[in-house]
Amino acid sequence: MIAQPTQEREPAREPQSGAVVQARALTKRYGTTVTALDELTVSVWAGITGLVGANGAGKSTLIKILLGLLEPTSGNAQVLGRDCVRDGFAIRMLTGYMPEHDCLPPDVSATELVTHFGRMSGLPLTAARERAADSLRHVGLYEERYRQIGTYSTGMKQRVKLAQALVGDPRLLLLDEPTNGLDPAGRTAMLDLIARIGSQFGISIVVASHLLGEIEQICDHLVAIDGGRLLRADTISSVTKATAVLLVEVEEGTEQLQASLAARGLGPALYQRGLLVRLTSDEVYDAVRDSVAALGLPLRRMEQRRHRIEELFRADATVDAIPGPGPSAGPGQTTGAVGVR
Amino acid sequence: MSADLTSASQPATPPAASEGGGVIHDIGYRRYDAERHGRPGIVAALTWHSFRAAFGLGRGAKAKIFPVLLFVLMCLPAIVDTVGLAIHPGSQPVVSYDAYIPSLRTVAMLIFVALEAPNLVSADLRTHTLPLYFARPIQRIDYPLAKLIAFVLACLVMIEVPLLLLYIGNVTQQHGPSQVLEQTLQLGPGLLYGGAWALLLASIGLLLASATGKRVFAICAIGIPLFFSYILAHVLSQVGEQAFGPLGPGEPSALASLAGLISPFTLLGGVLRWLQAPRGDQVQAQMIQATVVGHYGWVYGAVFVVVTAAAIGGLFARYRKVGIA
């Protein structure tokens, strides 16, 4: 695993240890009505970074701007220290891109396709052939790579898409919804593959997804955007830590317990059949235990839930309704923009 | 950076010791640090790839049937002419370097362009492969440029190789350097005129094919206008001649003279007539070429330039705007 760069690290002298992507006040409007990106300022560091947001949040637009395929309306962005508008050519030399949608011709074999796109990345023919074979092996396609792509399953097609992004030996991979259309086993396999490329191949990865639970599994960092604006950019551990809560369920007397916990200043919230309490410190466990014991209620369950990142986005997220003990509690705590810098 | 990368690219696990072979070694990820082609090299690679695609190379056997058939068809007159000369030495060749056999060339090239132009551009539109290209170190214009060069070259092969066969056949029947020189001097303009065919048909074909991703629609979008404009040009030319009659000897009516502008094939015929006029080859031209130009030969030249430029410009504009969803 590459050492996780911390937020405090200075922007860098070397691309691999510093910010691989820096966007400043990046705005993209289509016409006058549609705003895909709205003053987005964010930095992405080496390692695997999850770019999460609902459909239409601006993930794909951001990736296309980074590749120099779209011009921003205003603001600027740098990839590997190069300006996206002026230097898109150099960026595309160093970057592999896996599009969201199906993009493979059915009537050629995976070997032919990946070799061809190796050549399109500037590799001479022999090198392109070698690297195509390597890339396809890395993504787990062996004998089937000589078959026409039209005969492949969705999972195999996704692997070919990843292989063609990898064939040019990029420093940065931009993956747009790589688990699209895969079954649970396929998702796990694809995520393992991405994690392996990120950790063992020394390639930085930006992986866009609307399925936030997945991102959590493989990413070092998280960039959450919504409506073209930055929601949050942080290391994955601090994101999940900030949202840790305790679920308490009793057989009966939920209201009594709620009142008791409220009196202790824990501000519980009803959630399904239980109560959610924000886990600010270990004393919370003691307080809950004492309350339950004092009331003599039959405790069914007491469980620490690591709040999924999904809940950052849920407008009606129950956890947001918990008035936490601190003054900073409230909806703002989870949905407020916390830019890295 | 390099130190970091080298360590990261080491094998994840050391290669397993192989006893009797057959062990798959995990060689880990290998970096590519050797030379890379720049933009010209990539465009050349894409051009070669597309050129092969025009003849169905790199695809299944089915894709090769029509291009090979049409190519053989285009070569037949040259072969027949050569054989005829061999059997009856001294007879006049019936196939000219300029127009070759116009009807055959028109039909064969119409089918070739309609069938093969979609292979070069429509397929990438249909399968949404363009984002993969535009994410490579090329510029937007490089893609249509490579396709255009490739398809012009493919059309040149279809048109010029038969001419070269004809030339070789004729030269082998000639005696003396003066006759060989005469043949060579005739071949030159023929090759140039064939180049005009390739340029015009390739640019129009690609522009029409790039309008749609569906192969069948693209074939129709090329074939139907090319075919019906050709018919219409002939009909109008006939109407012009019969309704208005010739204005004088060698001076057809304006309608008859300008009708040929409608179709690329008659446009090319008109250009040939215009270019041949100073050489006084009227008799031969009359025999081989239906297009009547009257005093409007220069219009054919101008329209040829404008239409070719417009088609190429339209093709490039198409790929500046094309979506990369």
Side-chain angles (χ1 to χ4, degrees):
Chain A
M1 209 63 177
I2 297 176
Q4 287 189 9
T6 56
Q7 290 179 39
E8 291 75 33
R9 188 176 289 193
E10 281 302 309
R13 312 125 286 218
E14 300 172 326
Q16 281 297 318
S17 59
V20 291
V21 175
Q22 278 187 307
R24 286 185 210 87
L26 203 58
T27 301
K28 177 68 187 178
R29 289 195 188 85
Y30 295 101
T32 50
T33 48
V34 182
T35 303
L37 289 179
D38 192 3
E39 299 277 315
L40 182 70
T41 299
V42 70
S43 295
V44 171
W45 307 92
I48 305 180
T49 302
L51 177 62
V52 295
N55 289 326
K59 305 184 297 286
S60 295
T61 303
L62 177 59
I63 286 180
K64 282 171 192 164
I65 290 177
L66 295 180
L67 280 165
L69 299 180
L70 283 179
E71 276 205 21
T73 310
S74 66
N76 64 71
Q78 288 194 325
V79 175
L80 302 167
R82 289 163 176 85
D83 185 85
C84 286
V85 177
R86 282 183 285 109
D87 237 355
F89 186 81
I91 291 172
R92 293 195 291 274
M93 192 78 102
L94 298 167
T95 307
Y97 169 50
M98 174 176 173
E100 176 181 2
H101 300 288
D102 197 12
C103 57
L104 304 175
D107 55 355
V108 296
S109 72
T111 304
E112 285 166 332
L113 181 97
V114 178
T115 304
H116 175 58
F117 280 107
R119 301 204 71 193
M120 292 299 100
S121 295
L123 304 182
L125 183 57
T126 32
R129 286 203 178 115
E130 278 173 24
R131 284 201 61 86
D134 273 12
S135 301
L136 286 165
R137 194 168 42 77
H138 285 311
V139 300
L141 286 173
Y142 300 96
E143 289 312 308
E144 53 272 52
R145 68 175 187 260
Y146 301 111
R147 262 174 32 210
Q148 295 206 327
I149 292 173
T151 66
Y152 286 11
S153 67
T154 310
M156 288 159 73
K157 284 181 186 164
Q158 292 294 87
R159 285 162 189 267
V160 176
K161 278 162 68 177
L162 185 55
Q164 66 78 28
L166 203 55
V167 69
D169 185 27
R171 298 291 180 274
L172 172 69
L173 275 178
L174 299 173
L175 312 178
D176 201 349
E177 304 275 2
T179 57
N180 235 4
L182 299 182
D183 58 21
R187 281 173 191 281
T188 311
M190 177 57 74
L191 292 171
D192 288 348
L193 189 56
I194 295 168
R196 198 161 69 85
I197 292 170
S199 58
Q200 291 176 13
F201 296 6
I203 298 172
S204 290
I205 300 176
V206 173
V207 47
S209 178
H210 66 282
L211 293 162
L212 311 155
E214 294 183 350
I215 293 302
E216 198 178 25
Q217 298 171 27
I218 58 164
C219 291
D220 308 324
H221 299 88
L222 176 86
V223 171
I225 58 176
D226 189 35
R229 288 172 170 277
L230 184 70
L231 277 185
R232 192 170 180 139
D234 217 333
T235 59
I236 207 85
S237 53
S238 63
V239 171
T240 47
K241 197 161 135 196
T243 56
V245 291
L246 189 66
L247 175 67
V248 186
E249 228 178 281
V250 286
E251 295 274 352
E252 52 184 29
T254 305
E255 297 81 8
Q256 287 168 274
L257 182 62
Q258 188 177 10
S260 165
L261 290 174
R264 289 172 186 266
L266 293 176
L270 273 171
Y271 180 76
Q272 291 171 359
R273 281 169 302 169
L275 294 168
L276 282 180
V277 182
R278 202 174 273 282
L279 253 182
T280 45
S281 67
D282 283 350
E283 277 93 73
V284 173
Y285 290 108
D286 298 341
V288 171
R289 178 201 61 202
D290 293 347
S291 291
V292 172
L295 293 166
L297 298 173
L299 182 67
R300 180 190 286 159
R301 183 150 67 135
M302 193 159 107
E303 163 189 298
Q304 187 193 335
R305 282 165 46 99
R306 203 163 65 125
H307 251 255
R308 296 280 154 175
I309 310 169
E310 276 93 332
E311 281 149 2
L312 287 177
F313 293 94
R314 285 218 312 248
D316 61 341
T318 320
V319 70
D320 289 349
I322 305 176
S328 66
Q333 188 161 14
T334 44
T335 54
V338 188
V340 171
R341 59 188 71 215
Chain B
M1 173 166 119
S2 57
D4 230 356
L5 296 181
T6 322
S7 63
S9 57
Q10 287 303 306
T13 51
S18 111
E19 290 294 324
V23 174
I24 296 174
H25 293 257
D26 183 359
I27 50 169
Y29 184 73
R30 288 187 292 183
R31 287 244 166 247
Y32 181 79
D33 295 320
E35 202 182 340
R36 275 176 202 260
H37 291 305
R39 212 175 134 195
I42 297 173
V43 173
L46 180 56
T47 303
W48 176 238
H49 181 262
S50 308
F51 175 79
R52 286 167 47 90
F55 292 101
L57 300 169
R59 288 186 296 140
K62 259 195 309 187
K64 297 179 183 68
I65 295 175
F66 269 101
V68 170
L69 210 64
L70 291 170
F71 180 72
V72 170
L73 204 64
M74 283 289 276
C75 290
L76 268 181
I79 295 166
V80 168
D81 206 53
T82 306
V83 172
L85 272 182
I87 295 172
H88 302 290
S91 64
Q92 277 298 307
V94 293
V95 185
S96 86
Y97 290 115
D98 290 334
Y100 202 55
I101 306 282
S103 53
L104 172 73
R105 194 184 255 183
T106 297
V107 171
M109 288 311 291
L110 195 159
I111 298 174
F112 181 76
V113 170
L115 283 183
E116 299 306 324
N119 285 339
L120 270 71
V121 288
S122 302
D124 287 342
L125 285 169
R126 180 182 62 240
T127 55
H128 306 289
T129 316
L130 283 177
L132 299 187
Y133 283 102
F134 292 140
R136 308 281 152 181
I138 56 172
Q139 305 291 354
R140 276 286 176 113
I141 197 170
D142 293 342
Y143 178 86
L145 183 67
K147 296 288 176 182
L148 181 65
I149 296 172
F151 202 45
V152 169
L153 286 177
C155 290
L156 279 178
V157 166
M158 291 291 292
I159 293 170
E160 312 278 44
V161 169
L163 291 186
L164 292 174
L165 283 180
L166 183 67
Y167 173 71
I168 293 167
N170 281 342
V171 163
T172 51
Q173 309 292 327
Q174 307 295 332
H175 306 286
S178 65
Q179 283 179 315
V180 171
L181 181 68
E182 191 193 329
Q183 289 290 325
T184 312
L185 287 177
Q186 286 178 22
L187 174 69
L191 290 179
L192 273 181
Y193 179 60
W197 270 70
L199 196 60
L200 180 67
L201 293 182
S203 50
I204 290 179
L206 286 181
L207 174 66
L208 293 175
S210 70
T212 172
K214 294 207 164 56
R215 188 180 142 81
V216 176
F217 289 175
I219 291 173
C220 294
I222 300 168
I224 291 174
L226 285 189
F227 181 69
F228 282 102
S229 66
Y230 183 63
I231 302 292
L232 190 64
H234 275 278
V235 169
L236 285 181
S237 177
Q238 290 295 318
V239 168
E241 283 200 25
Q242 294 185 1
F244 303 106
L247 305 176
E251 198 182 336
S253 67
L255 178 61
S257 302
L258 294 174
L261 292 173
I262 295 173
S263 157
F265 299 108
T266 48
L267 174 63
L268 287 161
V271 170
L272 180 64
R273 285 296 283 279
W274 175 51
L275 295 176
Q276 277 182 337
R279 279 167 44 193
D281 285 348
Q282 285 301 323
V283 178
Q284 199 204 1
Q286 204 74 43
M287 181 181 77
I288 57 167
Q289 199 68 39
T291 310
V292 181
V293 297
H295 295 306
Y296 298 96
W298 61 275
V299 179
Y300 281 79
V303 169
F304 168 78
V305 172
V306 169
V307 168
T308 307
I312 294 173
L315 182 68
F316 288 175
R318 167 84 176 100
Y319 282 93
R320 247 196 314 280
K321 294 231 169 87
V322 71
I324 38 148

